[in-house]
Amino acid sequence: MTETIIACDFASKEECLSFLEKFDGLDKKPYLKIGMELFYASGPEIVRELKKRGFRIFLDLKLHDIPNTVMKAMKVLSGLDVDIVNVHAAGTIEMMKAAKEGLTRPDGSRPLLIAVTQLTSTSEEAMQKQLLIDASIADTIRHYARNAKEAGLDGVVCSPLEIRLVKEACGEDFITVTPGIRFADSTTDDQVRITTPQKARELGSDFIVVGRPITAAQDPLAAYLRCQQ
Ligand code: C5P
């Protein structure tokens, strides 16, 4: 099953809570993604508030630092009781292992931990010319996904176009969380490696992350239900 995660990229807690009122009538609360903008504006308070209201949360802070710093930061985040957190795979296997160690609570439980391979806004040309990665984007993503698996992570964030190569390299159980989702009739914004919700499901995406096609829609609830369908 493919689940839709709404990217709540808002500048304040008030804006986010007022947006979420549109989903009040639903039997099952949507899965939400809280990213840097909202977290830096509202702090852990917004996470606690949304958890209290029964939302499942993907906390998308994309940690990338030295292993010790990431381990300690993850220890703090594990207390927030979110459902998914993430790091950049570019931080190395050692950093990803440290992230998992920090995230794991004394009773052995922890949120799902996934790694960003290459941002869906990064083209192969930019990756090669600016980041000096002398490989195709497909090979880079396959390699980063294998590193994440070796570090004991649960899955990766990748473009829907890379789901098959990730699952073939790491197994069908290895979770793929895919942003870069656009309806066939909507604008692409700054995203480059994109596809539609339906195609992402056909490719085996476990979670699609959808921001502006829902948050900036005339009717966000209808756009969300269209994704789910
Ligand atoms: O508005 P849009 O649908 O483009 O939002 C996509 C969301 O997914 C944003 O919050 C962005 O930060 C996030 N994301 C992404 N590409 C990644 C990882 C996260 O677009 N590789």
Side-chain angles (χ1 to χ4, degrees):
M1 204 196 88
T2 307
E3 182 132 26
T4 303
I5 300 180
I6 304 174
C8 292
D9 294 324
F10 297 107
S12 72
K13 179 179 165 183
E14 292 70 30
E15 212 183 315
C16 179
L17 293 178
S18 133
F19 167 78
L20 291 173
E21 282 171 13
K22 298 176 173 54
F23 302 85
D24 277 350
L26 292 178
D27 288 341
K28 195 176 175 196
K29 301 245 183 210
Y31 218 117
L32 307 178
K33 182 176 87 71
I34 297 180
M36 297 181 203
E37 185 184 10
L38 187 56
F39 192 80
Y40 292 154
S42 308
E45 198 38 50
I46 182 72
V47 178
R48 293 194 189 100
E49 178 68 37
L50 294 175
K51 280 303 288 185
K52 205 165 72 193
R53 295 179 185 213
F55 290 97
R56 288 157 299 158
I57 308 279
F58 166 22
L59 189 57
D60 178 26
L61 298 181
K62 300 186 182 74
L63 275 67
H64 187 177
D65 207 316
I66 60 171
N68 185 55
T69 300
V70 169
M71 184 184 70
K72 289 183 171 166
M74 282 297 185
K75 207 166 249 176
V76 176
L77 294 183
S78 80
L80 281 179
D81 194 29
V82 294
D83 300 274
I84 310 178
V85 293
N86 63 355
V87 293
H88 268 287
T92 76
I93 294 173
E94 195 192 346
M95 187 207 77
M96 290 189 274
K97 282 183 174 167
K100 187 175 171 183
E101 189 188 330
L103 201 59
T104 307
R105 305 180 188 105
D107 68 358
S109 69
R110 61 169 175 84
L112 289 174
L113 176 60
I114 59 178
V116 175
T117 51
Q118 281 292 335
L119 295 170
T120 44
S121 53
T122 305
S123 65
E124 184 168 76
E125 191 191 9
M127 187 193 76
Q128 292 172 342
K129 289 201 177 143
Q130 297 175 33
L131 308 184
L132 278 190
I133 295 176
D134 189 19
S136 68
I137 201 141
D139 284 348
T140 308
I141 286 158
R142 188 182 297 108
H143 189 71
Y144 283 23
R146 283 196 178 121
N147 286 351
K149 186 168 166 122
E150 192 182 325
L153 271 57
D154 304 294
V156 290
V157 185
C158 63
S159 148
L161 307 176
E162 289 126 22
I163 295 166
R164 289 323 317 156
L165 73 87
V166 167
K167 298 261 186 194
E168 275 152 29
C170 301
E172 288 297 323
D173 292 347
F174 200 64
I175 295 170
T176 52
V177 176
T178 60
I181 301 293
R182 289 295 180 268
F183 295 121
D185 53 12
S186 69
T187 56
T188 59
D189 303 308
D190 53 349
Q191 296 285 14
V192 176
R193 306 193 322 274
I194 57 169
T195 193
T196 63
Q198 185 178 346
K199 185 78 184 150
R201 189 192 60 181
E202 285 164 17
L203 292 166
S205 175
D206 298 285
F207 296 94
I208 56 171
V209 176
V210 189
R212 288 159 291 183
I214 294 177
T215 56
Q218 289 272 354
D219 183 345
L221 176 60
Y224 170 71
L225 294 173
R226 188 177 169 197
C227 286
Q228 288 285 71
Q229 270 166 17

